[in-house]
């Protein structure tokens, strides 16, 4: 269940990005440079340094970040309130979440003065939030995961119990790198870009959450549409409705490939990563193979991922999707022992995707790989 929501600021709670770009264009013009809005777009949400120097690099300009910062601060503070930059329903959404007992945090790559100005533009004070983090808290800004990992730690919540709401490619990447479920808004990104970002859910804007009153409603709205018990192997689990969203599949593939990099395979040098998508929670769990000099002690990536999932979800899980990543082509399927273990938690039509390092993939159903698993007959009722 969701215990904390980590909000990016610009493009999520306030619509300040046009104002920021407008000020940036004015600054460059004062320095004798012609610059366009498009030159700033790839540098939104990653801090003042990249916003200024990234845009400058696109046109071959040489400017001072310190000068830009002073110029920006003076203009922004006077314009933010006047231009009414708060996103529609932003105040209502964060207030409803707080009243529901969900911890709320602002996690912005901007400077403290700007974050505070934006919060006041919403009609709130910084003290209203359980946590407000700005760029001074971290050394590495988005797209590194540091700001979100730090925020979850300071709030005292497990990453599995937090979600991130972001609107920029760099911010979404930061959320994914933190292994925290990330919701992408299409306030800044185009819908296709958001869908392909690897995020866990795409929504239009923050106003889409205005009617949410409880943590369960938020969880169900974003990640679940489950209302019917379905037999997954030997266990009844609340079933998913419809196909798995493309962005979730892409995220599972990305996480399996990343897990492969952490494999311990000093004897065979054959690294495997796996990711399983939980039917219970919509969360993704990963594992990598761990070899042992006593070969019988080796643990496969698939079983490693299942163990992590079971531990995290109190000993019961249904698998909606399994991804296995290896360097082979055709890519390596799970071994027979892993398939037998997985059969306890999978349906016949659980999706299995095998991928290699070049992005090639083969898709199967679980029954294609293990048509007749052994499960105690009494568990099949």
């Amino acid at each position: 269940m969701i215990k904390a929501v980590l909000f990016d600021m610009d493009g999520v709670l306030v619509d300040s990005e046009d104002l920021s770009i407008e000020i940036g264009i004015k600054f460059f013009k004062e320095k004798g440079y012609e610059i366009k809005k498009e030159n700033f777009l790839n540098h939104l949400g990653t801090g003042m340094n990249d916003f200024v120097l990234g845009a400058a690099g696109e046109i071959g300009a040489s400017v001072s970040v310190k000068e830009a910062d002073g110029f920006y601060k003076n203009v922004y503070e006077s314009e933010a309130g006047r231009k009414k930059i708060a996103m529609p329903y932003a105040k209502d959404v964060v207030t409803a979440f707080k009243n529901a007992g969900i911890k709320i945090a602002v996690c912005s790559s901007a400077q403290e003065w700007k974050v505070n100005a934006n919060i006041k533009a919403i009609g709130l004070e910084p003290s209203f939030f359980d946590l407000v983090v700005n760029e001074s808290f971290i050394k590495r800004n988005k797209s590194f995961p540091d700001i979100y990992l730090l925020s979850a730690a300071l709030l005292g919540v497990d990453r599995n119990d937090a979600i991130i709401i972001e609107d920029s490619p760099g911010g979404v990447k930061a959320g994914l790198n933190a292994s925290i479920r990330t919701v992408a808004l299409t306030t800044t990104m185009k819908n296709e870009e958001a869908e392909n970002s690897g995020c866990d859910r795409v929504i239009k804007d923050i106003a889409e959450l205005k009617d949410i009153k409880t943590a369960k409603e938020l969880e169900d709205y974003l990640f679940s549409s489950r209302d019917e018990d379905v037999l997954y192997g030997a266990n009844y689990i609340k079933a998913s409705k419809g196909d798995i969203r493309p962005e979730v599949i892409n995220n599972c593939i990305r996480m399996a490939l990343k897990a492969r990099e952490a494999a311990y395979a000093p004897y065979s040098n054959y690294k495997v990563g796996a990711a399983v998508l939980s039917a219970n929670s919509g969360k993704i769990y990963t594992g990598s193979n761990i070899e042992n000099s006593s070969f019988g002690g080796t643990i496969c990536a698939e079983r490693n991922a299942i163990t992590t999932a079971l531990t995290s979800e109190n000993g019961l899980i249904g698998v909606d999707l399994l991804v296995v990543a290896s360097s082979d082509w055709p890519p390596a399927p799970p071994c027979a022992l892993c398939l037998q273990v997985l059969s306890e938690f999978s349906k016949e039509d659980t999706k299995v995707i095998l991928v290699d390092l070049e992005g090639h993939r083969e898709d199967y159903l679980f029954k294609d790989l293990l048509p007749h698993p052994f499960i105690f007959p009494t568990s099949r009722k």
Side-chain angles (χ1 to χ4, degrees):
M1 191 64 66
I2 297 170
K3 295 180 181 178
V5 178
L6 313 181
F7 293 96
D8 176 47
M9 173 61 75
D10 295 301
V12 175
L13 297 177
V14 296
D15 187 11
S16 64
E17 292 177 343
D18 282 344
L19 175 58
S20 297
I21 291 172
E22 179 184 315
I23 297 170
I25 290 172
K26 287 180 180 178
F27 171 73
F28 276 86
K29 188 172 183 179
E30 280 204 359
K31 296 301 174 183
Y33 296 105
E34 290 295 326
I35 194 168
K36 297 179 180 179
K37 177 179 180 177
E38 291 73 21
N39 299 123
F40 292 96
L41 293 180
N42 290 330
H43 310 288
L44 291 167
T46 55
M48 179 61 77
N49 243 25
D50 186 55
F51 181 73
V52 174
L53 296 182
E58 293 201 13
I59 63 168
S62 178
V63 294
S64 163
V65 174
K66 186 176 180 180
E67 282 187 50
D69 188 46
F71 179 92
Y72 192 88
K73 184 175 185 294
N74 290 335
V75 179
Y76 191 93
E77 287 184 324
S78 65
E79 292 288 311
R82 186 178 68 82
K83 292 209 170 185
K84 297 182 179 180
I85 60 174
M87 285 288 193
Y89 296 101
K91 181 178 179 181
D92 300 301
V93 169
V94 297
T95 301
F97 289 2
K98 189 175 180 71
N99 290 340
I102 301 171
K103 293 183 179 181
I104 53 173
V106 170
C107 308
S108 174
S109 298
Q111 294 162 289
E112 182 178 10
W113 66 262
K114 186 184 178 188
V115 175
N116 291 341
N118 285 337
I119 291 174
K120 290 176 181 178
I122 299 169
L124 297 170
E125 292 295 325
S127 58
F128 181 82
F129 291 85
D130 295 287
L131 179 68
V132 177
V133 176
N134 59 66
E135 70 168 4
S136 69
F137 283 63
I138 52 173
K139 290 185 177 180
R140 302 187 306 176
N141 223 320
K142 302 172 186 176
S143 58
F144 288 101
D146 305 27
I147 193 167
Y148 288 123
L149 294 174
L150 175 65
S151 297
L154 291 175
L155 288 172
V157 297
D158 188 275
R159 285 181 289 178
N160 290 326
D161 296 323
I163 67 167
I164 292 166
I165 301 182
E166 267 286 358
D167 73 301
S168 68
V172 170
K173 189 174 181 180
L176 298 179
N177 287 338
S179 295
I180 298 175
R181 288 183 293 174
T182 301
V183 178
L185 308 185
T186 55
T187 49
T188 301
M189 293 186 285
K190 293 180 179 179
N191 190 72
E192 183 179 0
E193 183 180 21
E195 292 282 357
N196 293 327
S197 67
C199 69
D200 298 281
R201 182 73 155 88
V202 176
I203 63 175
K204 183 180 178 183
D205 54 38
I206 200 74
E208 196 169 319
L209 305 177
K210 63 183 175 62
D211 296 322
I212 301 296
K213 301 301 181 187
T214 68
K216 185 178 186 307
E217 286 181 13
L218 182 60
E219 178 81 39
D220 288 346
Y221 182 80
L222 291 176
F223 305 113
S224 180
S225 53
R226 298 163 166 79
D227 61 1
E228 181 183 345
D229 284 343
V230 171
L231 185 61
Y232 281 75
N235 303 285
Y236 279 94
I237 305 295
K238 292 294 183 182
S240 304
K241 288 182 178 178
D243 293 332
I244 303 168
R245 297 188 305 276
E247 65 268 23
V248 176
I249 293 175
N250 290 338
N251 200 20
C252 283
I253 292 172
R254 181 192 65 82
M255 292 176 70
L257 287 166
K258 185 176 181 180
R260 179 189 169 277
E261 296 172 5
Y264 176 74
Y267 308 106
S268 70
N269 292 318
Y270 189 79
K271 296 184 175 184
V272 181
V276 294
L277 174 65
S278 167
N280 314 44
S281 65
K283 296 177 183 177
I284 301 169
Y285 300 96
T286 61
S288 52
N289 57 317
I290 302 173
E291 291 185 347
N292 192 273
S293 54
S294 171
F295 292 149
T298 293
I299 304 172
C300 296
E302 298 90 331
R303 278 178 283 149
N304 202 338
I306 282 290
T307 301
T308 302
L310 289 168
T311 303
S312 300
E313 300 200 3
N314 298 316
L316 185 61
I317 187 175
V319 178
D320 272 342
L321 170 66
L322 166 70
V323 176
V324 182
S326 67
S327 57
D328 270 348
W329 183 258
C335 71
L337 182 56
C338 284
L339 287 171
Q340 176 57 40
V341 172
L342 285 159
S343 71
E344 293 272 327
F345 313 103
S346 302
K347 299 184 297 180
E348 286 189 345
D349 61 349
T350 288
K351 297 180 186 297
V352 180
I353 297 177
L354 311 178
V355 298
D356 71 0
L357 305 186
E358 306 301 320
H360 304 115
R361 60 183 264 189
E362 290 187 343
D363 292 33
Y364 297 91
L365 298 179
F366 189 80
K367 66 181 180 181
D368 298 331
L369 301 176
L370 187 63
H372 302 291
F374 172 76
I375 297 174
F376 283 115
T378 52
S379 298
R380 300 182 186 181
K381 294 181 180 179

